[in-house]
Amino acid sequence: MIVLKTNRELALMREACIISAGALKLAGEAVEPGVTTAEIDKIAYDYIIKCGAKPNFLNYNGYPATACISINDEVIHGIPSKKRVIEEGDIVSIDLGAVLEGFNGDNAATFAAGAISSEAKRLCDTTKESLFLGIEKAVAGGRIGDIGYAIQHHCESRGYSVVREFVGHGVGHKLHEDPSVPNYGTPGRGVRLLPGMTIAIEPMINLGKADVKTLPDGWTVKTRDGKLSAHFEHTVAITPSGPKILTLL
Ligand code: MF3
Ligand code: CO
């Protein structure tokens, strides 16, 4: 069931999303060689609590942290750890959100640790571009397939591949709501987009093949071929005047 939000609800959701975006920015600024992923997680946790909100991933289906921090060939859902030290040249995907007054924000970005290869930089740039191309298609009267196609076309035309097993989603009262928002699709197909819909668009793009596997920790998702992966995400509202990115600072 897709829950449409009123303007009043969108205003509340914006508050949760601003906190989510602030936490992501701070966490991203902390990415540098020598820092552990647990330290970054704590920075995000402390910020969200200071803002009077709660980390919405923490305890979600038993997830043990505020942020998912996924390095290099880790695609998503990397669990922060005191033992995991970020190294020069790593690309570090951070995904996190906050819940405030019953509304959720969700956002992600991939950050560079020191100097990264031009190959890694181009992957991150392309993934971020594809997120914004997808967001442009989040308009009333359009369809979910328009968003997926825009993302897929941009990334595949540059030789990258789109992860299939994990997708974007509705977001609002719950972290994950209907509809699913795949990062692939056919223009004109899928659920029709309506004003008041709030969705998390989140391309997960691989340098090599699309195939992924989940590690025995039950969470961490990696590329099967061991090549790099990037992830960017915004929470977006569909409004009569176009897409509104709720997680923009
Ligand atoms: N970040 C994921 C998403 O964007 C959700 C994480 S699930 C959690 O949809 F359990 F790790 F929180
Ligand atoms: Co999400």
Side-chain angles (χ1 to χ4, degrees):
M1 189 193 52
I2 296 173
V3 184
L4 301 180
K5 282 82 184 178
T6 63
N7 286 341
R8 189 186 143 268
E9 289 171 325
L10 289 182
L12 285 173
M13 207 165 142
R14 170 77 174 134
E15 295 304 313
C17 286
I18 288 172
I19 296 168
S20 305
L24 181 61
K25 179 167 189 282
L26 262 190
E29 285 167 358
V31 168
E32 47 178 327
V35 174
T36 69
T37 54
E39 289 174 292
I40 292 178
D41 190 71
K42 183 173 187 323
I43 288 167
Y45 176 85
D46 288 347
Y47 178 81
I48 291 168
I49 296 297
K50 189 189 83 184
C51 293
K54 283 197 175 135
N56 50 5
F57 292 9
L58 188 60
N59 301 320
Y60 183 88
N61 292 337
Y63 187 72
T66 293
C68 298
I69 306 181
S70 311
I71 301 177
N72 297 336
D73 61 333
E74 295 167 357
V75 180
I76 48 167
H77 299 171
I79 303 172
S81 162
K82 282 187 238 172
K83 294 186 194 139
R84 189 68 191 270
V85 182
I86 292 169
E87 292 173 19
E88 177 86 18
D90 283 347
I91 58 170
V92 181
S93 299
I94 304 178
D95 185 355
L96 57 80
V99 56
L100 181 74
E101 295 186 48
F103 284 95
N104 285 276
D106 187 5
N107 61 179
T110 302
F111 300 92
I116 60 171
S117 68
S118 56
E119 189 180 53
K121 170 120 181 28
R122 187 165 174 270
L123 172 69
C124 294
D125 290 348
T126 303
T127 304
K128 187 174 184 179
E129 288 156 15
S130 78
L131 168 59
F132 283 89
L133 291 168
I135 291 170
E136 276 179 26
K137 299 291 180 188
V139 294
R143 296 209 183 238
I144 284 288
D146 302 344
I147 297 172
Y149 176 78
I151 292 168
Q152 179 181 15
H153 179 260
H154 187 68
C155 295
E156 289 184 351
S157 69
R158 280 156 179 73
Y160 302 131
S161 52
V162 174
V163 172
R164 306 295 169 127
E165 287 90 338
F166 297 89
V167 296
H169 50 91
V171 53
H173 303 283
K174 291 189 289 178
L175 175 59
H176 291 144
E177 298 184 349
D178 288 336
S180 285
V181 184
N183 299 301
Y184 51 89
T186 306
R189 297 281 190 89
V191 168
R192 190 174 291 284
L193 303 173
L194 296 171
M197 283 175 63
T198 46
I199 56 176
I201 306 177
E202 50 177 317
M204 290 152 262
I205 305 299
N206 295 350
L207 186 65
K209 295 211 169 74
D211 309 75
V212 298
K213 62 178 178 196
T214 303
L215 296 191
D217 67 16
W219 284 103
T220 313
V221 175
K222 279 192 172 197
T223 58
R224 275 194 185 270
D225 61 13
K227 295 191 178 172
L228 298 177
S229 187
H231 182 206
F232 285 82
E233 176 179 32
H234 273 305
T235 297
V236 178
I238 293 154
T239 80
S241 53
K244 286 269 177 308
I245 304 176
L246 299 178
T247 43
L248 217 49
L249 275 182

